[in-house]
Amino acid sequence: MSDELHPIRDVRLADLARRQGGVVSAAQLHGLGYSRDAIRHMVSRGRLHRLHRGVYAVGHQVIGPAAVRLAAVLAVGNGALVARRSAAAGWDIRQTGTSRVDVLAPRRGRRDLVGIDVHVSRRIDARDATLLDGVPITTVARTIADLAGSVGWADLRRTMERADARELLDVDALLRCSAHRAGAPRIRAILDEWAPAPTNRGIEERLLELVRRTDLPEPLVNAPLHGFEVDLLWDAPRLVVEADSRGFHNTWAAAERDRHRDAILAAHGFRVLRFTWSQVTTRQHEVITAIRAVISGSR
C-alpha cells in the first residue's frame, strides 16, 4: 500500500495528535510507519504544518498553549522539560510575559530553535520532572527555584503566593531545589515571613502577650460566643480577635468555616479581626492600632 493511502496508520496518527494537542514529531511519525517522503508529501498537501524542525501540527496550525509547549519540548529532544516562565504559566502561577518557550535540557543541542530558549542543566533530578496535560515539565518547586534568581522580589512573592493558593507549593521540595542557588536567600526570606507558629495556640499566646504590653483592656481568652470558641474577646466593644495560623486556616474548607463563623458573629453585632503569625511577630504596631481603633470607636 502507498505512503499516501494507509487507513490504519492514519487512524493511529489522528489518535496520537488528539492526545498531544495536535502536534507530533518526525520521530513519532517514523514510529507509526511514515517515511521521510511521506512526511514531505503530507507537508506539501497541508496535512502537516511545520512548527519546528522535525515537529509538526496535524491538519492545521492553530494549537493551544499546552501544545505549543509540547512542540518546543519535542523540538529540543529527549530529556527536555518545559521550564521557568513557560512552566509557571503552565501551572497557572505566573503570567509568562513572552511568546517564547523556556525549555530545560540536559545538553545544549541545536541553537537554531526559533521561539525557544534552551536552558542547560547537566543533571536534572528525576524528582523535578513531571507531566502536565501530557507535557514534560518541571515541578512547581523546581519552576520557582529556577525563577527565583532572575525575577524581582515582588514577582517571586506573588508567584509563591499563587502556588500556595492553588495548593501546589511543596516547601520541602522547594528548599531542596533551591539549595545553593542564586535565588535561595529570597525564597527563604519569603518563607520566613510566612512561618507559622508551632501551633494555633502559639499565636494566641503571642497575641495576648502583645496586648498585655499595652494599656488596652484585658480580653477574655478562648471564650464561648454564640456557639463558637473565640481566641480573644472584648465583650463591651463587641470585638473578637482571631489568630490565623497557616496550619489551621490555610485551606479552602478552613476559609469557608472562618467566613461562616465571622458572618454569624457579625449578625450578633461583633467585629472580627484576624491576624497572622507574621503580623503578630513582625508588625505588632498595625495589630495594636487595629484593635485600639475598634475599641476606641465603640466608646
Side-chain angles (χ1 to χ4, degrees):
M1 186 175 291
S2 70
D3 276 334
E4 186 174 358
L5 299 174
H6 202 306
I8 295 177
R9 184 182 59 189
D10 290 348
V11 167
R12 290 174 178 168
L13 171 58
D15 181 61
L16 176 62
R18 176 187 58 78
R19 288 185 280 111
Q20 296 189 164
V23 300
V24 296
S25 68
Q28 290 174 326
L29 289 167
H30 294 322
L32 291 174
Y34 291 93
S35 66
R36 291 184 179 180
D37 287 340
I39 293 173
R40 282 194 290 266
H41 180 72
M42 293 167 74
V43 170
S44 69
R45 294 287 297 273
R47 292 185 62 196
L48 294 177
H49 300 269
R50 186 179 184 275
L51 300 174
H52 304 287
R53 189 167 70 183
V55 182
Y56 306 91
V58 179
H60 56 79
Q61 293 176 291
V62 181
I63 58 175
V68 170
R69 292 189 284 268
L70 178 58
V73 167
L74 292 174
V76 173
N78 290 338
L81 303 166
V82 177
R84 299 187 180 230
R85 299 164 299 178
S86 303
W91 290 112
D92 190 24
I93 58 174
R94 182 181 184 272
Q95 296 296 316
T96 180
T98 178
S99 61
R100 300 182 67 82
V101 181
D102 288 310
V103 174
L104 185 68
R107 61 189 66 83
R108 173 60 62 186
R110 298 202 309 268
R111 298 175 181 268
D112 60 342
L113 297 169
V114 177
I116 303 174
D117 290 329
V118 180
H119 308 271
V120 177
S121 178
R122 293 183 179 178
R123 182 180 180 275
I124 301 176
D125 195 312
R127 292 174 293 179
D128 298 340
T130 188
L131 291 175
L132 177 65
D133 298 325
V135 182
I137 191 170
T138 54
T139 61
V140 171
R142 177 61 189 261
T143 299
I144 294 173
D146 286 340
L147 285 172
S150 59
V151 301
W153 276 85
D155 193 348
L156 177 61
R157 182 180 285 104
R158 283 193 299 270
T159 301
M160 291 174 61
E161 287 173 351
R162 176 66 176 167
D164 191 34
R166 300 196 64 227
E167 299 184 358
L168 296 173
L169 190 64
D170 183 333
V171 173
D172 290 338
L174 179 57
L175 291 173
R176 175 185 58 78
C177 290
S178 61
H180 310 299
R181 304 185 66 180
R186 290 180 172 185
I187 288 173
R188 286 188 174 275
I190 292 170
L191 290 174
D192 285 345
E193 289 178 5
W194 296 351
T199 65
N200 206 51
R201 189 70 65 191
I203 301 187
E204 293 174 19
E205 291 172 353
R206 291 294 288 270
L207 257 175
L208 185 58
E209 177 186 335
L210 180 60
V211 167
R212 285 173 171 168
R213 293 205 302 263
T214 71
D215 60 351
L216 290 170
E218 181 81 4
L220 298 174
V221 180
N222 298 325
L225 185 65
H226 299 294
F228 304 104
E229 182 182 279
V230 299
D231 294 339
L232 303 182
L233 170 65
W234 285 266
D235 200 21
R238 304 185 78 75
L239 170 63
V240 170
V241 170
E242 293 283 82
D244 278 3
S245 86
R246 289 167 59 80
F248 283 80
H249 297 268
N250 198 42
T251 65
W252 177 85
E256 286 292 308
R257 182 182 64 243
D258 290 342
R259 300 296 83 77
H260 167 71
R261 174 192 184 101
D262 292 354
I264 296 296
L265 295 178
H268 285 86
F270 285 87
R271 174 78 177 273
V272 180
L273 297 179
R274 293 184 174 276
F275 298 110
T276 65
W277 175 254
S278 177
Q279 288 175 293
V280 172
T281 57
T282 65
R283 302 196 297 277
Q284 295 97 334
H285 177 71
E286 70 182 40
V287 173
I288 295 302
T289 300
I291 295 173
R292 193 185 301 281
V294 176
I295 292 176
S296 298
S298 70
R299 291 172 181 170

